[in-house]
Amino acid sequence: AQSVAQPEDQVNVAEGNPLTVKCTYSVSGNPYLFWYVQYPNRGLQFLLKYITGDNLVKGSYGFEAEFNKSQTSFHLKKPSALVSDSALYFCAVRSTSGTYKYIFGTGTRLKVLA
Amino acid sequence: ETGVTQTPRHLVMGMTNKKSLKCEQHLGHNAMYWYKQSAKKPLELMFVYSLEERVENNSVPSRFSPECPNSSHLFLHLHTLQPEDSALYLCASSQSTGVTDTQYFGPGTRLTVL
């Protein structure tokens, strides 16, 4: 069965420090991986995706993610966190053996402290 | 968020009411989706429409009835709901249902069933 795990419910980081939000996945077939961010009372906003090619993917707002096939991970990173990055982050996976579904993780709440 | 809009943003209804949620996408996409987002749970895909044809119904109770009159509009008709149906309902669209296509989400309708 396909699945996505976000092992941390919440991540706290000081403003200006690097941040990492973790995601691991399990699929059959080739994985296609996505990160979304959700601000309070808003829908999900697309940040970046990995389809193929370079394992380091750059996205919106200075975020990037690294695809690691051997560790089946797709961690979201940013070199220097901003207070405005505080939000709920979702990892999602689709695969060539799947249907229309994104399989979403349960989300990680990021708090950036001033 | 002007790409995908949803109305109303908030809705409170009794268990015997009938109401409808509306979604409109301004992105020229051919696929539209309804999701349910409940606290502490992954997003649940409810329905998928491709070129106005329903292609997936994810075991959703019949008290939820979708309608897609054209590729830009999607409705979710609600009747005799239960309190456990209270959630954030998100609409999304994508260019197609292709596995690499990014889905773009609306801001959601916060539904409370009394």
Side-chain angles (χ1 to χ4, degrees), chain A residues 9 32 34 36 38 41-46 49 51 88 90 94-96 99-102 104-106, chain B residues 1 9 33 35 37 42-43 45 48 55-56 58 88 90 97-107:
Chain A
D9 287 340
Y32 302 108
F34 301 77
Y36 286 84
Q38 186 176 33
N41 301 313
R42 306 275 287 274
L44 276 67
Q45 295 180 33
F46 170 70
K49 67 181 177 183
I51 302 300
L88 189 58
F90 290 94
R94 302 176 91 180
S95 83
T96 51
T99 59
Y100 308 103
K101 287 185 184 181
Y102 278 159
F104 280 92
T106 50
Chain B
E1 290 184 344
R9 294 292 306 274
Y33 311 77
Y35 285 87
Q37 184 179 22
L43 269 73
L45 179 65
V48 180
V55 295
E56 185 154 336
N58 216 27
L88 183 67
L90 293 166
T97 54
V99 70
T100 61
D101 282 7
T102 300
Q103 292 183 12
Y104 294 88
F105 287 78

Side-chain angles (χ1 to χ4, degrees), chain B residues 46-80:
Chain B
M46 300 175 72
F47 301 104
V48 180
Y49 276 83
S50 177
L51 296 171
E52 301 141 49
E53 179 182 344
R54 191 191 309 179
V55 295
E56 185 154 336
N57 176 346
N58 216 27
S59 303
V60 179
S62 60
R63 58 186 183 269
F64 294 91
S65 175
E67 179 190 2
C68 188
N70 56 62
S71 60
S72 298
H73 293 87
L74 185 65
F75 294 89
L76 188 62
H77 303 300
L78 316 171
H79 63 99
T80 58

Side-chain angles (χ1 to χ4, degrees), chain A residues 30-97:
Chain A
N30 294 325
Y32 302 108
L33 295 149
F34 301 77
W35 274 103
Y36 286 84
V37 60
Q38 186 176 33
Y39 297 99
N41 301 313
R42 306 275 287 274
L44 276 67
Q45 295 180 33
F46 170 70
L47 280 178
L48 50 81
K49 67 181 177 183
Y50 171 81
I51 302 300
T52 187
D54 194 345
N55 290 343
L56 185 64
V57 180
K58 294 189 182 296
S60 306
Y61 313 119
F63 284 94
E64 58 189 28
E66 185 167 13
F67 172 65
N68 187 317
K69 187 173 183 178
S70 63
Q71 296 186 5
T72 62
S73 67
F74 189 57
H75 301 331
L76 182 70
K77 299 183 180 185
K78 187 174 183 181
S80 179
L82 301 173
V83 172
S84 57
D85 293 330
S86 299
L88 189 58
Y89 290 80
F90 290 94
C91 181
V93 66
R94 302 176 91 180
S95 83
T96 51
S97 64

